[in-house]
Amino acid sequence: MQIKKDHINFAVGPVLINEEILALGAEPVPYFRTPEFSALMLENERILKDLMDAPENARAVFLTGSGTASMDAVIQNVFTKDDKLLIVNGGGFGHRFCEIAEVYGIPHDEVIPEQGRTIRAEHLAPFAGKDYTAFVVNMDETSTGVLYDMDLISRFCRENGLMLVVDAISAFLSDEFSMKDMGADVVFTGSQKALAVPPGVSMMVLSQRAVDRINANKPTCYYLDLKAALKNQERGQTPWTPAVGILIQINARLNQIARDGLETERERIHAIANDFRARIKNYPFHIVSDSLSYCVTPLSPNNKAVDAHHLFEVLKDEYGIIVCPNGGELAHTVFRVGHIGHLTIEDNDALFAALDDLMRRGILLA
Ligand SMILES: *Cc1c(COP(=O)(O)O)cnc(C)c1O
């Protein structure tokens, strides 16, 4: 089976990967119980903590698995049935946190904003002064492209003495944040989003408070036991065979970003997003989010006769361009254009040329 691999990829993961990182993927995968691999992993931890502006005594772990492995690991290792979580459920990824809490029997309530909308103070007010122990949020709800107001959330957590868990899987490198400023206890991301490495590794930074909880709790899953992950990472190792090749690519990417500067990386993504958003105004779409992340732009065709999923298919099959379809109830009305990965302004040009052609052909209607 051949899958076409030379699409211009505007998905939100896996994304386009730069040459240096691609080349590493073609190399042999080394044995990993060595001082050399340990040194690489300790460097990964140091740079990741630096990029997230981690608080003093924070620790990092690298899990083999997609981003959801971190969502799962955090809920079951940091919390118990004695906790009560407040989860923002504003789309597919918020909903996933609720399902995970359900699986492990961790009590939780949901803050539910309207579809495609951010949360405001009035959404949180009913939950103030209650018996919650932690707040759980996807900083960027990638399914709808909504970036939540982390200042508002962080203030709410401080005022109510809540721990704060931030899924920054798509926000990392796209949107500005500081783990210290947010007062966050856990922040995690994945390899295949803005870090632009193949999928396979999810990485997490934990505050001292989160580490203490993990060490006091009993693990409920053998493979995703964070106590074992933390213990092993002290010497730059993992309990089980990790995705060694991906971790080597992550090391190269983290070093690229450390060398060029986090600001430079973020500005590159912002420039692609801003260019796209300025030009899409001239096309028959509306943006369906009131608080946009720089990671992705959610679009809905103005003309009800235009099917969003059909546009995705035609762009893929006839123009070699991948945009990101939506699932569920938004499948036919919304698709998303990502701005992360090794994209250029010329790639945006190609997408707009395709949209021009779709209008000429009467497939995209005003
Ligand atoms: C992509 C994403 C996930 C899930 O990641 P997988 O790698 O598919 O498991 C979770 N949360 C957010 C906000 C994401 O963008």
Side-chain angles (χ1 to χ4, degrees):
M1 176 64 194
Q2 284 284 336
I3 296 179
K4 189 167 151 53
K5 301 180 206 72
D6 60 348
H7 287 109
I8 301 177
N9 184 357
F10 292 92
V12 287
V15 298
L16 293 177
I17 298 170
N18 73 44
E19 292 298 329
E20 181 190 339
I21 305 302
L22 274 183
L24 278 174
E27 290 182 3
V29 177
Y31 178 64
F32 69 104
R33 299 289 188 204
T34 60
E36 291 79 8
F37 187 72
S38 294
L40 178 140
M41 288 295 281
L42 291 172
E43 185 173 68
N44 283 353
E45 170 163 11
R46 181 178 58 73
I47 302 177
L48 181 68
K49 287 195 296 198
D50 199 40
L51 294 176
M52 289 202 178
D53 194 26
E56 212 176 323
N57 298 328
R59 300 281 316 280
V61 290
F62 295 79
L63 303 176
T64 291
S66 73
T68 306
S70 278
M71 301 174 76
D72 187 323
V74 167
I75 299 295
Q76 52 154 312
N77 282 269
V78 179
F79 304 110
T80 70
K81 291 181 166 60
D82 294 330
D83 281 292
K84 192 165 171 195
L85 313 179
L86 193 53
I87 301 176
V88 177
N89 181 358
F93 293 114
H95 180 66
R96 189 169 301 177
F97 267 131
C98 299
E99 291 187 326
I100 294 169
E102 202 64 48
V103 165
Y104 297 107
I106 314 283
H108 60 281
D109 283 327
E110 302 174 22
V111 185
I112 307 179
E114 306 94 278
Q115 184 77 247
R117 304 271 154 186
T118 189
I119 49 173
R120 298 180 304 277
E122 59 262 36
H123 290 107
L124 298 181
F127 301 99
K130 300 272 167 65
D131 56 346
Y132 297 103
T133 55
F135 194 101
V136 179
V137 63
N138 317 92
M139 176 167 163
D140 169 14
E141 173 51 82
T142 325
S143 69
T144 59
V146 171
L147 173 71
Y148 293 122
D149 181 346
M150 293 311 297
D151 288 340
L152 174 79
I153 289 170
S154 149
R155 218 176 313 123
F156 179 84
C157 290
R158 286 192 167 105
E159 283 167 10
N160 291 279
L162 307 187
M163 290 182 76
L164 174 59
V165 172
V166 180
D167 166 357
I169 293 181
S170 65
F172 179 61
L173 305 177
S174 313
D175 297 302
E176 196 172 347
F177 70 83
S178 149
M179 192 172 167
K180 259 187 230 159
D181 293 352
M182 291 192 296
D185 291 283
V186 185
V187 181
F188 53 85
T189 185
S191 54
Q192 85 278 23
K193 301 280 168 96
L195 194 58
V197 166
V201 170
S202 170
M203 58 224 95
M204 178 187 314
V205 179
L206 300 140
S207 71
Q208 173 82 58
R209 178 158 72 157
V211 169
D212 290 346
R213 266 177 164 253
I214 290 163
N215 287 327
N217 288 345
K218 244 178 74 179
T220 50
C221 169
Y222 187 80
Y223 197 79
L224 292 177
D225 176 1
L226 290 183
K227 206 184 296 188
L230 283 163
K231 184 84 199 122
N232 278 266
Q233 178 61 24
E234 283 174 13
R235 58 185 175 106
Q237 285 288 326
T238 52
W240 344 110
T241 306
V244 175
I246 308 293
L247 286 162
I248 290 172
Q249 288 172 302
I250 286 174
N251 183 259
R253 261 301 271 162
L254 289 174
N255 273 292
Q256 282 176 352
I257 296 163
R259 183 192 61 217
D260 300 343
L262 173 58
E263 215 37 53
T264 307
E265 182 61 22
R266 241 184 343 237
E267 276 165 15
R268 202 184 54 73
I269 294 172
H270 293 193
I272 303 280
N274 287 334
D275 173 72
F276 178 81
R277 288 169 187 173
R279 294 159 76 181
I280 198 68
K281 289 198 177 90
N282 303 318
Y283 290 79
F285 294 103
H286 50 284
I287 294 178
V288 285
S289 160
D290 66 345
S291 167
L292 283 171
S293 154
Y294 278 106
C295 168
V296 66
T297 304
L299 297 172
S300 187
N302 291 342
N303 191 315
K304 295 261 182 297
V306 177
D307 182 298
H309 198 265
H310 181 61
L311 289 181
F312 155 72
E313 286 173 341
V314 175
L315 285 168
K316 172 169 76 67
D317 296 335
E318 297 177 34
Y319 297 88
I321 290 175
I322 296 279
V323 295
C324 210
N326 268 62
E329 58 193 53
L330 299 178
H332 297 285
T333 51
V334 177
F335 70 92
R336 293 161 296 157
V337 175
H339 311 299
I340 55 179
H342 192 51
L343 286 167
T344 61
I345 298 291
E346 288 69 38
D347 295 326
N348 282 352
D349 294 344
L351 177 53
F352 285 110
L355 293 180
D356 287 336
D357 200 48
L358 286 176
M359 291 189 73
R360 249 190 317 270
R361 292 171 62 194
I363 294 173
L364 176 57
L365 303 166

